[in-house]
Amino acid sequence: MADLKAFERECTEFFCPLWPGEDKILVFGDGNSTQPPLMLIGEAPGEQETLKRRPFVGKAGKNLDHFLEVMGMTRDSIYVSNVVKIRPTERSSSGRVRNRAPSREEIALFLPFLMKEIELVAPRALVTLGNVPLRALMGGRATIGELHGKWHTASNGLPLYALYHPAAVIYRRELTQVYEDDVRALRDSLTIQTQK
Ligand code: URA
Protein backbone atom coordinates (compact mmCIF):
# COMPACT_ATOMS: atom_id res chain seq x y z
CA MET A 1 0.00 0.00 0.00
CA ALA A 2 1.50 3.30 -1.15
CA ASP A 3 0.55 5.23 2.00
CA LEU A 4 2.06 2.60 4.23
CA LYS A 5 5.31 2.71 2.25
CA ALA A 6 5.40 6.50 2.73
CA PHE A 7 4.71 5.95 6.43
CA GLU A 8 7.64 3.53 6.69
CA ARG A 9 9.93 6.03 4.95
CA GLU A 10 8.81 8.81 7.30
CA CYS A 11 9.39 6.57 10.30
CA THR A 12 12.87 5.58 9.08
CA GLU A 13 13.82 9.22 8.45
CA PHE A 14 12.68 10.18 11.94
CA PHE A 15 14.20 7.32 13.92
CA CYS A 16 17.47 6.39 12.22
CA PRO A 17 19.25 9.69 13.09
CA LEU A 18 18.29 9.19 16.79
CA TRP A 19 20.83 6.38 17.19
CA PRO A 20 23.82 7.47 15.11
CA GLY A 21 26.29 4.67 14.42
CA GLU A 22 24.08 2.04 16.05
CA ASP A 23 22.63 0.56 12.89
CA LYS A 24 19.15 0.17 14.43
CA ILE A 25 16.79 -1.84 12.25
CA LEU A 26 13.13 -0.89 12.13
CA VAL A 27 10.71 -3.82 11.94
CA PHE A 28 7.43 -2.74 10.38
CA GLY A 29 4.00 -4.35 10.45
CA ASP A 30 3.08 -7.24 8.22
CA GLY A 31 -0.01 -8.92 6.75
CA ASN A 32 -3.31 -7.59 5.42
CA SER A 33 -2.89 -3.82 5.56
CA THR A 34 -6.28 -2.98 4.03
CA GLN A 35 -9.05 -2.93 6.61
CA PRO A 36 -8.24 -6.32 8.16
CA PRO A 37 -10.69 -7.79 10.69
CA LEU A 38 -7.96 -7.64 13.36
CA MET A 39 -4.70 -5.79 13.97
CA LEU A 40 -2.48 -7.50 16.56
CA ILE A 41 -0.12 -5.19 18.41
CA GLY A 42 2.88 -6.46 20.35
CA GLU A 43 5.57 -4.75 22.36
CA ALA A 44 8.74 -4.61 20.26
CA PRO A 45 10.69 -6.94 17.96
CA GLY A 46 13.24 -9.38 19.35
CA GLU A 47 16.37 -10.83 17.77
CA GLN A 48 14.69 -13.10 15.22
CA GLU A 49 12.22 -10.42 14.19
CA THR A 50 15.09 -7.99 13.62
CA LEU A 51 17.05 -10.54 11.58
CA LYS A 52 14.04 -11.38 9.43
CA ARG A 53 12.54 -7.85 9.54
CA ARG A 54 9.14 -9.30 10.33
CA PRO A 55 7.17 -9.14 13.58
CA PHE A 56 6.43 -12.29 15.59
CA VAL A 57 8.66 -14.83 13.89
CA GLY A 58 10.73 -15.90 16.93
CA LYS A 59 9.47 -17.89 19.92
CA ALA A 60 6.50 -15.55 20.26
CA GLY A 61 5.66 -16.34 16.62
CA LYS A 62 4.82 -19.95 17.54
CA ASN A 63 2.26 -18.56 19.91
CA LEU A 64 0.89 -16.39 17.13
CA ASP A 65 0.50 -19.51 14.94
CA HIS A 66 -1.53 -21.11 17.70
CA PHE A 67 -3.66 -17.96 18.01
CA LEU A 68 -4.39 -18.07 14.27
CA GLU A 69 -5.26 -21.75 14.40
CA VAL A 70 -7.80 -21.23 17.19
CA MET A 71 -9.22 -18.18 15.41
CA GLY A 72 -9.44 -20.03 12.08
CA MET A 73 -7.48 -17.19 10.45
CA THR A 74 -4.27 -16.98 8.43
CA ARG A 75 -1.38 -14.60 8.99
CA ASP A 76 -2.17 -12.98 5.65
CA SER A 77 -5.74 -12.19 6.68
CA ILE A 78 -4.79 -10.03 9.68
CA TYR A 79 -2.20 -7.30 10.28
CA VAL A 80 0.53 -7.71 12.91
CA SER A 81 2.73 -4.94 14.31
CA ASN A 82 4.45 -3.62 17.43
CA VAL A 83 4.34 -0.39 19.44
CA VAL A 84 8.12 0.04 19.34
CA LYS A 85 9.69 -0.86 16.02
CA ILE A 86 13.31 -1.34 17.06
CA ARG A 87 14.66 -4.14 19.25
CA PRO A 88 15.33 -2.71 22.74
CA THR A 89 18.57 -4.29 24.00
CA GLU A 90 20.95 -4.21 26.94
CA ARG A 91 24.19 -5.98 27.84
CA SER A 92 24.15 -8.71 30.47
CA SER A 93 26.97 -8.85 33.05
CA SER A 94 28.73 -11.36 30.79
CA GLY A 95 28.54 -8.87 27.92
CA ARG A 96 25.81 -10.65 25.94
CA VAL A 97 23.29 -8.52 24.08
CA ARG A 98 19.80 -9.36 25.30
CA ASN A 99 16.25 -8.03 24.97
CA ARG A 100 14.84 -5.59 27.51
CA ALA A 101 11.41 -4.02 27.92
CA PRO A 102 10.99 -0.80 25.90
CA SER A 103 11.51 2.36 27.95
CA ARG A 104 8.82 5.02 28.52
CA GLU A 105 10.74 7.34 26.20
CA GLU A 106 10.85 4.77 23.40
CA ILE A 107 7.13 4.08 23.77
CA ALA A 108 6.32 7.82 23.74
CA LEU A 109 8.44 8.37 20.63
CA PHE A 110 6.84 5.52 18.70
CA LEU A 111 3.24 6.03 19.82
CA PRO A 112 2.29 8.78 17.31
CA PHE A 113 3.63 6.54 14.53
CA LEU A 114 1.57 3.59 15.79
CA MET A 115 -1.56 5.76 15.80
CA LYS A 116 -0.82 6.83 12.22
CA GLU A 117 -0.21 3.21 11.22
CA ILE A 118 -3.58 2.16 12.70
CA GLU A 119 -5.28 4.98 10.81
CA LEU A 120 -3.71 3.87 7.51
CA VAL A 121 -4.43 0.16 7.99
CA ALA A 122 -7.94 0.85 9.35
CA PRO A 123 -8.54 -2.50 11.08
CA ARG A 124 -12.02 -3.33 12.37
CA ALA A 125 -10.60 -4.10 15.83
CA LEU A 126 -7.32 -4.12 17.77
CA VAL A 127 -5.87 -6.98 19.80
CA THR A 128 -3.15 -5.92 22.22
CA LEU A 129 -0.55 -8.42 23.45
CA GLY A 130 0.60 -7.54 26.96
CA ASN A 131 0.79 -4.36 29.00
CA VAL A 132 2.88 -2.19 26.67
CA PRO A 133 0.37 -1.94 23.78
CA LEU A 134 -2.58 -2.02 26.20
CA ARG A 135 -1.30 1.03 28.11
CA ALA A 136 -0.20 2.77 24.93
CA LEU A 137 -3.76 2.55 23.60
CA MET A 138 -5.82 2.82 26.80
CA GLY A 139 -3.83 5.03 29.12
CA GLY A 140 -1.13 4.52 31.71
CA ARG A 141 -3.04 2.80 34.48
CA ALA A 142 -4.58 -0.07 32.50
CA THR A 143 -3.31 -3.49 33.57
CA ILE A 144 -3.49 -6.70 31.65
CA GLY A 145 -4.34 -8.67 34.81
CA GLU A 146 -7.63 -6.74 35.07
CA LEU A 147 -8.46 -6.18 31.41
CA HIS A 148 -7.47 -9.42 29.63
CA GLY A 149 -10.11 -11.48 27.86
CA LYS A 150 -12.57 -8.61 27.39
CA TRP A 151 -13.47 -5.94 24.87
CA HIS A 152 -12.63 -2.30 25.62
CA THR A 153 -12.47 0.95 23.65
CA ALA A 154 -9.05 2.26 22.59
CA SER A 155 -8.14 5.96 22.77
CA ASN A 156 -8.85 6.25 19.02
CA GLY A 157 -12.35 4.79 19.46
CA LEU A 158 -11.64 1.34 17.99
CA PRO A 159 -12.76 -1.83 19.78
CA LEU A 160 -9.77 -3.31 21.64
CA TYR A 161 -9.42 -6.84 22.99
CA ALA A 162 -6.65 -7.42 25.54
CA LEU A 163 -4.54 -10.60 25.57
CA TYR A 164 -1.48 -11.51 27.62
CA HIS A 165 1.84 -11.16 25.87
CA PRO A 166 3.06 -14.44 24.31
CA ALA A 167 6.33 -14.24 26.26
CA ALA A 168 4.39 -14.01 29.56
CA VAL A 169 2.53 -17.17 28.55
CA ILE A 170 5.84 -18.92 27.81
CA TYR A 171 7.41 -17.95 31.16
CA ARG A 172 4.32 -18.19 33.38
CA ARG A 173 2.84 -21.62 32.76
CA GLU A 174 -0.20 -20.81 34.89
CA LEU A 175 -1.25 -18.36 32.17
CA THR A 176 -1.49 -21.03 29.45
CA GLN A 177 -5.13 -21.88 30.21
CA VAL A 178 -6.08 -18.24 30.82
CA TYR A 179 -4.62 -17.27 27.43
CA GLU A 180 -6.35 -20.19 25.72
CA ASP A 181 -9.71 -19.23 27.27
CA ASP A 182 -9.21 -15.57 26.26
CA VAL A 183 -8.46 -16.46 22.62
CA ARG A 184 -11.50 -18.76 22.45
CA ALA A 185 -13.68 -16.03 23.97
CA LEU A 186 -12.38 -13.61 21.33
CA ARG A 187 -13.17 -16.10 18.55
CA ASP A 188 -16.66 -16.71 19.94
CA SER A 189 -17.39 -13.00 20.27
CA LEU A 190 -16.38 -12.41 16.63
CA THR A 191 -18.51 -15.35 15.48
CA ILE A 192 -21.52 -13.93 17.32
CA GLN A 193 -20.93 -10.47 15.80
CA THR A 194 -20.68 -11.80 12.23
CA GLN A 195 -23.89 -13.83 12.72
CA LYS A 196 -25.84 -10.73 13.73
N1 URA B 1 8.07 -10.37 18.75
C1 URA B 1 7.46 -9.24 18.32
O1 URA B 1 7.50 -8.92 17.14
N2 URA B 1 6.82 -8.51 19.23
C2 URA B 1 6.74 -8.83 20.51
O2 URA B 1 6.10 -8.12 21.28
C3 URA B 1 7.40 -10.02 20.92
C4 URA B 1 8.06 -10.74 20.02
Side-chain angles (χ1 to χ4, degrees):
M1 210 192 163
D3 285 348
L4 212 49
K5 282 284 156 231
F7 161 81
E8 291 177 6
R9 257 199 319 276
E10 198 186 315
C11 210
T12 306
E13 279 162 17
F14 179 86
F15 284 101
C16 286
L18 296 187
W19 299 285
E22 277 194 54
D23 202 16
K24 285 279 185 195
I25 291 170
L26 289 154
V27 179
F28 292 110
D30 175 54
N32 174 5
S33 57
T34 319
Q35 301 181 342
L38 295 179
M39 172 170 173
L40 260 64
I41 307 174
E43 195 168 279
E47 186 182 16
Q48 286 305 312
E49 286 77 16
T50 306
L51 286 172
K52 302 203 172 104
R53 300 188 183 217
R54 209 173 166 214
F56 288 97
V57 289
K59 266 195 204 153
K62 292 218 172 64
N63 193 287
L64 175 63
D65 292 342
H66 176 68
F67 169 90
L68 293 169
E69 197 182 311
V70 174
M71 296 298 292
M73 291 177 167
T74 62
R75 199 173 159 126
D76 289 347
S77 67
I78 61 162
Y79 185 79
V80 183
S81 197
N82 283 301
V83 178
V84 168
K85 288 168 174 51
I86 48 136
R87 177 189 178 204
T89 56
E90 63 186 7
R91 283 205 181 266
S92 69
S93 50
S94 63
R96 255 181 8 103
V97 175
R98 63 180 181 201
N99 294 343
R100 61 165 169 78
S103 67
R104 268 174 208 258
E105 291 74 21
E106 286 161 342
I107 295 168
L109 277 173
F110 277 99
L111 185 56
F113 287 90
L114 174 69
M115 300 318 279
K116 178 80 190 163
E117 186 182 13
I118 296 173
E119 207 181 305
L120 289 171
V121 172
R124 282 211 286 280
L126 306 170
V127 176
T128 53
L129 304 172
N131 266 322
V132 169
L134 179 68
R135 291 193 178 139
L137 289 157
M138 289 206 54
R141 273 200 280 272
T143 68
I144 187 69
E146 284 167 19
L147 301 188
H148 72 93
K150 293 190 200 83
W151 283 102
H152 309 280
T153 303
S155 56
N156 59 3
L158 282 178
L160 177 156
Y161 192 85
L163 286 177
Y164 275 99
H165 191 274
V169 181
I170 293 167
Y171 297 118
R172 292 175 54 195
R173 302 307 301 175
E174 75 277 14
L175 290 181
T176 310
Q177 193 57 49
V178 176
Y179 180 83
E180 188 77 23
D181 293 346
D182 288 352
V183 176
R184 286 178 195 280
L186 169 62
R187 180 198 58 197
D188 293 347
S189 67
L190 292 179
T191 313
I192 290 164
Q193 267 177 22
T194 49
Q195 279 169 352
K196 272 186 193 161

